[in-house]
């Protein structure tokens, strides 16, 4: 290129690499979404495979569940009928084929299709996880902003210690303490269950979604809504505070980090108050890490739901999973864990897509 060519070129013309990057942004986003979606397949496959072979280390599911309760000849007949006398690798590929058709098998202890168990109890676990996420957002994000605004002062120290306690306290222990204080000693909230017997009968009679709050609102009965919410408070707090501690520390760390950014210094030089800096300028950038970890937190909540539902007798997938594990019904366990794996993989995909829209750097 000659000197005259350089002089004739527009001053504001972007470099070729930058121009190509700008023009290809949409393509990069589409490619990123496609890759993340395709990664769901190996993720679910690995988890399902691990569960399948780890369970087979204890022997075939029928012997594990019914051994000692059936005569040897009947037990052998059941094993042959179910196909568990065949090579494990043959059983594995047959199981994968069943999952692709939506068939997760039949439970051994109560002879129900696993899909029926998933549909019946999955709504309860979904409801609990949504409650817990609401608690985590309501508690973790505002307290994280307060901790950042009061950095290295007494409120910040108290909140940081609280965040560690929220995260480190076992779910079953905090649940038992909450029941003891708010249900037994104070009598403010119900001890267990998703609703009172009367409300459960009424909501089940009317059919519905299986999500009690939605069904209670649809019924138009305020007493049902209040009863459902009262039963949800302690389980939601127990599971939600676990994640609230993580959100609190993430928001605090990222808001403090943004205080050193040039645009924050420019706003401060214009006389913007520290409170407004945190609330208006440093708040949104601090939410991007929250979005990126939501997928992991959903996985943790689904794991914590087993203990939470057992503690509060919340009849969801976690409660049933604990019961099937106790009964050594590994067919049911396989199906529930496979569903949880699919939910976690899909949640991470959605979170990755949202993060790519919020922060274009993610897609490159």
């Amino acid at each position: 290129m000659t000197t005259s060519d350089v002089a004739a070129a527009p001053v504001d013309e972007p470099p070729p690499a930058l121009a190509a990057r700008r023009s290809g942004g949409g393509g990069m986003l589409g490619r990123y979404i496609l890759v993340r979606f395709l990664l769901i397949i190996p993720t679910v496959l690995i988890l399902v495979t691990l569960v399948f072979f780890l369970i087979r280390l204890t022997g075939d599911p029928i012997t594990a569940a019914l051994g000692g309760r059936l005569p040897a000849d009947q037990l052998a007949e059941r094993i042959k009928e179910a196909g568990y006398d065949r090579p494990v690798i043959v059983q594995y590929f047959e199981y994968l084929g069943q999952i692709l058709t939506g068939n997760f098998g039949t439970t051994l202890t109560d002879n129900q299709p696993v899909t029926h168990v998933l549909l019946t109890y999955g709504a309860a676990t979904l409801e609990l996880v949504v409650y817990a996420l609401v608690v985590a957002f309501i508690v973790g994000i505002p307290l994280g902003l307060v901790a950042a605004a009061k950095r290295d002062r007494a409120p910040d120290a108290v909140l940081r210690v609280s965040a560690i306690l929220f995260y480190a306290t076992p779910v079953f222990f905090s649940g038992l303490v909450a029941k003891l204080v708010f249900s037994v000693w104070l009598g403010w909230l119900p001890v267990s269950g998703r609703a009172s017997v009367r409300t459960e009968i009424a909501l089940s009679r009317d059919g519905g979604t299986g999500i009690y709050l939605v069904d209670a609102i649809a019924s138009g009965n305020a007493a049902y809504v209040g009863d459902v919410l009262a039963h949800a408070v302690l389980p939601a707090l127990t599971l939600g505070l676990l994640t609230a501690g993580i959100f609190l520390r993430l928001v605090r760390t990222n808001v403090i980090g943004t205080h050193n950014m040039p645009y924050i210094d420019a706003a401060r030089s214009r006389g913007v108050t520290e409170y407004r800096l945190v609330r208006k300028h440093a708040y949104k950038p601090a939410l991007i890490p929250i979005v990126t970890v939501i997928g992991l937190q959903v996985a943790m909540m689904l794991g914590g739901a087993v203990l939470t539902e057992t503690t509060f007798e919340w009849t969801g997938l976690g409660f049933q999973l604990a019961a099937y594990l106790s009964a050594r019904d590994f067919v049911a366990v396989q199906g529930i864990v496979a569903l949880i794996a699919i939910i976690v993989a899909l949640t991470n995909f959605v979170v990755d897509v949202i993060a790519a829209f919020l922060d274009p750097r993610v897609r490159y």
Side-chain angles (χ1 to χ4, degrees), residues 1-205:
M1 180 181 291
T2 64
T3 306
S4 59
D5 292 331
V6 174
V11 177
D12 58 346
E13 182 178 351
L18 180 59
R21 181 171 176 173
R22 286 177 179 173
S23 62
M28 291 295 295
L29 177 60
R31 191 183 315 147
Y32 174 81
I33 293 174
L34 178 61
V35 170
R36 296 305 302 173
F37 180 77
L38 292 177
L39 284 175
I40 294 175
I41 299 173
T43 302
V44 173
L45 180 63
I46 290 171
L47 290 173
V48 169
T49 302
L50 285 174
V51 172
F52 181 89
F53 284 105
L54 286 174
I55 284 178
R56 289 308 188 281
L57 292 177
T58 62
D60 67 271
I62 291 181
T63 301
L66 303 176
R69 291 189 287 171
L70 288 177
D73 56 339
Q74 293 184 20
L75 189 64
E77 185 179 347
R78 291 284 298 272
I79 291 172
K80 186 175 181 179
E81 288 178 357
Y84 293 128
D85 58 336
R86 294 175 297 170
V88 174
I89 192 67
V90 175
Q91 298 178 42
Y92 168 68
F93 283 110
E94 184 181 64
Y95 182 64
L96 291 182
Q98 290 176 349
I99 290 180
L100 291 176
T101 62
N103 179 12
F104 291 88
T106 303
T107 63
L108 301 174
T109 51
D110 50 11
N111 198 35
Q112 294 187 80
V114 175
T115 50
H116 175 73
V117 175
L118 299 177
L119 293 174
T120 302
Y121 298 100
T125 298
L126 173 64
E127 187 175 16
L128 177 59
V129 170
V130 171
Y131 289 152
L133 279 174
V134 170
V135 170
F137 281 118
I138 291 176
V139 175
I141 293 178
L143 291 184
L145 293 174
V146 172
K150 304 292 183 181
R151 178 184 181 184
D152 296 330
R153 284 181 275 178
D156 179 30
V158 171
L159 289 173
R160 278 188 289 169
V161 172
S162 299
I164 294 173
L165 290 176
F166 289 161
Y167 182 74
T169 304
V171 172
F172 69 88
F173 178 76
S174 58
L176 290 174
V177 171
K179 287 173 67 173
L180 181 64
V181 174
F182 296 103
S183 299
V184 178
W185 289 353
L186 299 177
W188 290 353
L189 296 167
V191 176
S192 61
R194 297 178 62 198
S196 64
V197 175
R198 178 182 176 184
T199 302
E200 285 193 342
I201 292 174
L203 295 180
S204 61
R205 183 178 62 243

Side-chain angles (χ1 to χ4, degrees), residues 266-299:
R268 188 180 287 113
S269 66
R270 294 196 302 271
V272 179
T273 63
E274 289 297 320
Y275 172 78
R276 187 175 178 82
L277 282 175
V278 171
R279 187 169 178 270
K280 294 292 185 182
H281 298 277
Y283 173 62
K284 288 184 178 180
L287 289 183
I288 294 176
I290 294 289
V291 173
T292 58
V293 302
I294 284 179
L296 296 176
Q297 298 313 307
V298 168

